[in-house]
Amino acid sequence: MFVPCQYREPEGMWMVDLIRRNPLALLTTNGTTADGPLATHLPVIQDPRMTEEWSSDLSGALLLGHLNRKNPHWSALRSGDVVLLVFTGPHAYVSPTVYRKTPAAPTWNFTAVHVHGVVEKIDSLEETLGVVQSTVRAFEAELGTGWDMSESVGYFRQIVPHVGAFRVRVTGAEGMFKLSQEQQPEVRELVRESFARRDCGRHRETAELMGRLQ
């Protein structure tokens, strides 16, 4: 991903925070010459086995994901394949009217992280069940209401044979945080205020990130 200097990660952990808050990733692989690239939207979490600290480019991190085994992407996936995981964060359109000056041009503020890595398919049904359970724990803690899955583990065992789980060892990542850094501070504040006044959640989330730049 091309990231101009002013849009790079402002400080440590912005990429990690984006991944945790926006865990629905786009898994992409090259595919065959005939079929072309393959892409699947799926949830991704940090592997609980990962005990080391996140590095600046996320290299060495371990991530877990899963998809439907009926998905052709699963059968095409091979352990050792190089994959790309795309995470998209808050984003919003910027109208030139917000700038209160002319000439001006519209643009789009957005945040994204591209994670590169090597995939390992998980064959064991018991380990696949563990991936599903770890995913529930992570999402209930970060995004849910603390749902207790204990009474549903039996149901999980019924559906696990249809689940394809995998692990990705991260080799590097780039983060794009395009938040009007190219504008003068007073103009950037006008953009932030316009987003903060909107009812739309992603506008307000974009405004929050812009506020953290200051």
Side-chain angles (χ1 to χ4, degrees):
M1 176 169 62
F2 171 63
V3 184
C5 292
Q6 70 264 39
Y7 301 140
R8 291 177 183 168
E9 184 179 34
E11 58 187 45
M13 297 300 287
W14 274 57
M15 289 198 291
V16 176
D17 287 345
L18 187 147
I19 289 172
R20 286 175 173 163
R21 294 184 182 187
N22 306 273
L24 186 67
L26 180 66
L27 170 70
T28 65
T29 55
N30 286 336
T32 64
T33 303
D35 297 332
L38 296 169
T40 300
H41 295 272
L42 44 77
V44 173
I45 63 167
Q46 178 182 339
D47 189 335
R49 300 192 316 180
M50 178 182 160
T51 56
E52 61 271 25
E53 296 294 325
W54 293 84
S55 64
S56 59
D57 68 348
L58 310 192
S59 59
L62 297 175
L63 302 176
L64 294 175
H66 65 276
L67 69 163
N68 192 322
R69 281 179 177 261
K70 290 183 179 180
N71 186 335
H73 202 166
W74 172 253
S75 56
L77 203 60
R78 298 285 183 272
S79 289
D81 282 353
V82 174
V83 301
L84 173 67
L85 289 165
V86 178
F87 298 84
T88 303
H91 59 93
Y93 172 71
V94 183
S95 171
T97 58
V98 176
Y99 297 147
R100 300 179 187 174
K101 66 176 183 177
T102 56
T107 189
W108 205 290
N109 280 0
F110 70 94
T111 57
V113 174
H114 286 198
V115 176
H116 307 268
V118 178
V119 72
E120 172 198 350
K121 294 179 76 170
I122 296 173
D123 296 321
S124 163
L125 290 181
E126 200 61 30
E127 191 173 358
T128 298
L129 174 62
V131 171
V132 173
Q133 291 175 303
S134 293
T135 301
V136 172
R137 291 190 194 99
F139 291 163
E140 282 297 320
E142 292 276 344
L143 307 168
T145 58
W147 174 65
D148 182 358
M149 76 177 97
S150 58
E151 294 184 0
S152 296
V153 174
Y155 174 64
F156 287 0
R157 290 188 181 278
Q158 294 176 35
I159 63 176
V160 154
H162 307 289
V163 175
F166 61 88
R167 178 177 291 105
V168 172
R169 181 172 293 277
V170 178
T171 56
E174 308 94 31
M176 178 81 156
F177 296 89
K178 183 180 179 297
L179 299 168
S180 297
Q181 294 96 322
E182 75 283 2
Q183 299 291 343
Q184 293 297 315
E186 61 273 15
V187 176
R188 188 166 63 245
E189 179 61 15
L190 289 173
V191 177
R192 189 200 65 78
E193 289 177 351
S194 73
F195 288 165
R197 290 194 298 265
R198 297 286 292 271
D199 292 332
C200 175
R202 64 179 169 78
H203 282 83
R204 294 197 301 270
E205 289 175 7
T206 305
E208 177 189 353
L209 285 178
M210 293 182 70
R212 289 171 58 186
L213 287 176
Q214 301 170 1

